[in-house]
Amino acid sequence: MTSGKIRWGILGPGSIAKSFAGGVAGSRTGELVALGARNPAKPGLAETFPGARILDGYEALLADRQVDAVYISIPHPGHAEWAIKAAEAGKHVLCEKPLALTAFEADAMMHAARKAGTFLGEAFMYRLHPQTRQLIELIKSGAIGEVRMIKSSFGFAMPRFMPEHRLYANELAGGGILDVGGYPVSMARLIAGAAVGQPFLEPDKVVGAAHLGQSGVDEWASALLTFANGIVAEVSCSISLDQDNVLRILGTRGRIEVPDFWFAGGNRDVGPGRIEVIRSGAAREVISLGETRHLYSFEVDAAGEAILAGRQEFAWPGMSWADSLGTLRVLDKWRHAAGLEYEIEKPAKRVTTLSGRSLRTDGKAIPKRAIPDLPRQASVLALGFEDFRSFSSGSILLDAYFEAGGNLFDTGFVYGAGYTEALLGQWLKNRGVREQSVIIAKGAHSPLCYPDVIAKQLAQSLDRLQTDHVDIYFMHRDNPDVPVDEFVDAMDAEARAGRIRGLFGGSNWTTERMDAAIAYAEKNGRQRPGALSNNFSLAEMLEPIWPGCITSSTDAWKAWLTARQMPNFAWSSQGRGFFTERAGRDRTDNEELVRVWYSEKNFGRRDRAIELARKLGKSPIHVALAYVLAQPFPSVPLIGPRTLDELEDSLKALDIKLTPEDVAWLDEGPERRRA
């Protein structure tokens, strides 16, 4: 930094980049020093961006040591890639809206910034204009009573359908929802929050619709947001339809109207600020702020102040990370309701990681181990990913897990109504890593827990997975009314046909049924069941989380697993939140935690996990996961992170090496005092 100012570089020239440059020129904290352009010889760049060195390409901008912060103004699909690369290069980032195509992408961007210690902000310039703060003060003061409804739009009409224009281009994520829909959505959330004294509020329900035009992008769209405090927000956007673009806030004693709110009643250069308050029986009150500063200078200074103060996020009313994620989650739901998925989000086009690089295959953070009768070594942690419903969202986590060294994937016929298997199949084919991966499949779930279901469901699973075999297969439940030999015969037949090429066994099976199955297989020349997938954790499950579930955390079970040396792929291996702050002797708000895990014996284990975690500089949940890994039998925890932060946090458990004495002390307490 020179003279205490942030040295800005602009990544990608364009009309909004020009406006941002004007904002930098009018700011107190910044100066424009460079522009990264794919075509640096384009006429007019030097005149449009005076004082900026014109660099050849985006990489050159990120490599420039004279640049402290980068403003990203390229089309939406490049936001995540270049924000991540900028963070990795140690650059602060202010990224044009939308921050990313989805909340999942934005979360990955925040993960990169968090690791790098850099600033990341979403450039909704209206949020930093003084008009916004004035509006919030009116709401908080009760100027129109209690807020009941919000009506907000941002829409305009392009001259005609222009397939070459970014707003109509499917490959550039065009359309109104992503380009301008975030303005009314973020504003509605801000006002709903202000009405209850919070920075923002998330809607309980989002109902959306849109007209998808010739290129498959939304040309006009509307959504209805309902909030827990009773506020209803009607939001709309368009690129092919003029709208009045007046923000209306309706309360019990009047309403507020703000014309052309998004530009503070002005244009991209100056927004003077104008708010109108209309009360029943009273004259219309006009509040004019008379601002003369450049419209974009406010966000430049807000970003600069955050960077100079060492903060990684905007201060309120700027868009914090949680605020940006909340807005994008609404846009995700809106798009889903409208059936809008861009071609660039589908497997055929998304062939690299989110950072734009090929998938790395040499990860070592997650070690691998040999498991008896499994032809390929498997990572010590298995990944479950049932929560994802699109390739673009799920591939972010799958990529990160694989690049860390993970190759063991947990799926099931019923997971996500089959989508989990389909997603994994798409990813394995897209990334070309089927031969390096180990797939766990499950079938015969209640109520269809019968031998003749196994072949039928496995055939469908293989079709979804786009492979001719799985490596590990579990019956998802047991049916004690069916002789165990019939199940063994059915699974053995699939192994002989080559559709199971490793282990098979039972998920949620008892020791008695497993012993009987093994005895039958050995006596009759069948492949013996060689694995289990039962619950196992430091906390003992007191009653089943779901009907038909079995825990293997009891002393009798541990003795059986050790004697048999039976591999157990442990679900809920971290106690489903019992070892986090969600649980506690005085915290009884979570019905599942109380019902399934709360006992004095389990709390004693939790206390010891907390004690050991403090000594090791880890968290209790890390100790709980390390406990599962340190068992005297092959024990493979199944983890289900939803974000990259959660995945990275789980991997911290791999740094903990527990001795048999540590394991016994955690389990049994003071009589096995840890040295």
Side-chain angles (χ1 to χ4, degrees):
M1 301 179 192
T2 57
S3 305
K5 288 192 172 184
I6 305 299
R7 298 171 298 182
W8 286 95
I10 294 178
L11 196 151
S15 61
I16 200 164
K18 178 182 177 182
S19 297
F20 179 79
V24 176
S27 72
R28 295 176 287 97
T29 61
E31 58 179 334
L32 181 62
V33 299
L35 169 75
R38 291 278 173 82
N39 181 14
K42 181 180 179 180
L45 289 182
E47 293 75 18
T48 303
F49 301 96
R53 290 176 286 110
I54 310 301
L55 305 180
D56 187 1
Y58 305 159
E59 294 284 3
L61 183 69
L62 300 188
D64 194 311
R65 295 185 177 180
Q66 301 304 308
V67 173
D68 303 313
V70 173
Y71 171 71
I72 297 176
S73 58
I74 58 178
H76 313 331
H79 288 184
E81 174 183 348
W82 289 100
I84 291 171
K85 287 179 175 177
E88 292 173 346
K91 307 297 186 187
H92 304 287
V93 171
L94 178 62
C95 184
E96 256 311 315
K97 51 74 202 164
L99 189 61
L101 298 187
T102 66
F104 296 99
E105 288 190 1
D107 180 80
M109 296 161 69
M110 294 166 189
H111 177 74
R114 188 178 290 109
K115 290 180 66 176
T118 51
F119 172 85
L120 173 66
E122 186 173 18
F124 273 112
M125 82 290 189
Y126 87 86
R127 290 291 288 267
L128 285 313
H129 192 284
Q131 179 180 259
T132 297
R133 194 177 288 273
Q134 177 68 50
L135 179 65
I136 296 306
E137 290 303 317
L138 287 170
I139 298 297
K140 289 182 175 180
S141 69
I144 58 170
E146 296 182 8
V147 175
R148 290 287 186 260
M149 183 172 287
I150 304 162
K151 298 184 178 184
S152 180
S153 64
F154 193 165
F156 53 89
M158 294 288 286
R160 63 189 180 282
F161 175 67
M162 305 164 67
E164 73 283 357
H165 196 284
R166 70 169 184 86
L167 287 173
Y168 289 101
N170 194 296
E171 66 272 15
L172 296 180
I177 293 176
L178 285 191
D179 197 66
V180 291
Y183 284 92
V185 167
S186 62
M187 173 51 71
R189 295 171 56 260
L190 177 70
I191 295 169
V196 292
Q198 297 181 23
F200 53 82
L201 202 63
E202 303 298 353
D204 288 340
K205 187 177 181 181
V206 177
V207 179
H211 168 76
L212 305 185
Q214 298 177 51
S215 59
V217 306
D218 62 296
E219 296 188 8
W220 53 88
S222 291
L224 194 67
L225 283 59
T226 56
F227 296 86
N229 57 1
I231 293 176
V232 175
E234 300 174 5
V235 299
S236 60
C237 61
S238 52
I239 60 172
S240 298
L241 185 70
D242 274 325
Q243 300 193 49
D244 63 8
N245 298 338
V246 176
L247 168 67
R248 296 179 173 87
I249 308 168
L250 287 72
T252 54
R253 298 205 306 269
R255 70 182 190 274
I256 293 174
E257 293 185 355
V258 189
D260 294 315
F261 185 87
W262 322 118
F263 297 106
N267 53 41
R268 282 188 173 181
D269 292 325
V270 177
R274 177 186 174 92
I275 301 173
E276 300 177 7
V277 183
I278 304 102
R279 300 182 182 89
S280 300
R284 180 182 296 250
E285 177 186 356
V286 177
I287 301 172
S288 297
L289 279 71
E291 286 292 343
T292 59
R293 287 182 58 187
H294 195 285
L295 185 66
Y296 284 75
S297 66
F298 300 103
E299 73 173 7
V300 173
D301 281 336
E305 289 164 3
I307 293 168
L308 292 169
R311 300 195 308 269
Q312 291 188 268
E313 307 175 51
F314 273 124
W316 186 89
M319 298 289 287
S320 66
W321 290 359
D323 203 352
S324 290
L325 283 173
T327 292
L328 276 166
R329 289 187 183 112
V330 173
L331 299 187
D332 289 347
K333 293 175 182 177
W334 192 354
R335 279 212 289 144
H336 179 75
L340 176 56
E341 182 181 18
Y342 299 107
E343 293 300 315
I344 54 171
E345 297 178 284
K346 298 177 182 178
K349 295 289 183 70
R350 187 153 289 207
V351 296
T352 63
T353 63
L354 190 59
S355 60
R357 306 183 183 96
S358 297
L359 186 71
R360 296 192 301 270
T361 60
D362 57 352
K364 304 295 183 185
I366 305 176
K368 295 181 176 63
R369 66 183 297 178
I371 295 177
D373 300 321
L374 189 64
R376 184 180 298 117
Q377 285 199 332
S379 51
V380 297
L381 298 174
L383 180 70
F385 47 98
E386 191 178 350
D387 297 310
F388 299 94
R389 291 296 175 268
S390 70
F391 182 82
S392 63
S393 61
S395 62
I396 297 170
L397 184 70
L398 291 167
D399 286 344
Y401 169 74
F402 189 88
E403 288 194 329
N407 75 333
L408 181 57
F409 301 94
D410 179 56
T411 67
F413 182 81
V414 299
Y415 291 174
Y419 186 72
T420 301
E421 292 180 329
L423 171 59
L424 181 60
Q426 291 171 339
W427 182 83
L428 290 170
K429 182 178 180 180
N430 180 282
R431 300 300 193 251
V433 293
R434 172 61 185 100
E435 293 307 310
Q436 295 105 294
S437 302
V438 179
I439 300 175
I440 301 171
K442 302 185 188 79
H445 191 287
S446 304
L448 299 177
C449 193
Y450 299 98
D452 61 349
V453 170
I454 291 173
K456 298 173 185 177
Q457 291 187 345
L458 182 55
Q460 191 170 344
S461 292
L462 294 176
D463 183 62
R464 293 169 178 165
L465 291 162
Q466 302 186 52
T467 184
D468 62 353
H469 72 281
V470 297
D471 303 282
I472 303 170
Y473 177 85
F474 292 115
M475 282 184 50
H476 210 170
R477 290 287 193 276
D478 189 12
N479 185 346
D481 294 333
V482 176
V484 74
D485 55 307
E486 295 182 26
F487 287 126
V488 174
D489 286 344
M491 290 187 284
D492 177 75
E494 297 306 314
R496 292 176 186 275
R499 301 204 300 178
I500 302 173
R501 298 185 190 173
L503 305 171
F504 64 69
S507 176
N508 298 296
W509 275 43
T510 65
T511 55
E512 293 78 11
R513 290 281 282 183
M514 280 295 290
D515 282 336
I518 292 170
Y520 170 79
E522 291 176 341
K523 180 179 179 180
N524 294 278
R526 308 289 194 262
Q527 178 175 324
R528 67 195 294 273
L532 270 168
S533 183
N534 285 2
N535 164 253
F536 185 89
S537 70
L538 177 56
E540 183 179 329
M541 191 171 70
L542 305 178
E543 64 175 77
I545 300 175
W546 304 288
C549 289
I550 298 291
T551 180
S552 296
S553 301
T554 66
D555 291 340
W557 259 108
K558 284 181 279 193
W560 184 91
L561 289 165
T562 302
R564 283 280 191 185
Q565 283 300 293
M566 179 67 66
N568 184 51
F569 295 77
W571 54 265
S572 293
S573 57
Q574 294 168 292
R576 297 178 65 82
F578 181 72
F579 292 95
T580 70
E581 293 181 354
R582 291 171 52 205
R585 290 177 174 84
D586 58 344
R587 303 202 63 173
T588 58
D589 54 312
N590 188 301
E591 183 276 334
E592 180 186 285
L593 283 175
V594 174
R595 174 175 59 87
V596 177
W597 309 105
Y598 276 30
S599 72
E600 193 51 43
K601 188 174 184 179
N602 278 340
F603 274 119
R605 290 163 172 158
R606 185 176 183 272
D607 292 341
R608 292 187 289 276
I610 293 171
E611 178 184 338
L612 181 53
R614 287 173 179 161
K615 292 179 181 178
L616 298 176
K618 300 289 185 180
S619 296
I621 198 167
H622 302 144
V623 173
L625 189 57
Y627 170 87
V628 178
L629 287 164
Q631 293 303 307
F633 55 86
S635 179
V636 183
L638 310 180
I639 59 172
R642 294 176 176 83
T643 66
L644 298 184
D645 282 340
E646 290 181 1
L647 172 62
E648 193 164 279
D649 186 69
S650 290
L651 300 190
K652 293 177 182 178
L654 301 178
D655 299 331
I656 303 174
K657 306 301 179 186
L658 299 177
T659 66
E661 292 74 23
D662 295 331
V663 170
W665 176 76
L666 284 167
D667 188 15
E668 301 173 29
E671 62 271 20
R672 299 294 294 268
R673 174 63 60 186
R674 185 174 184 269

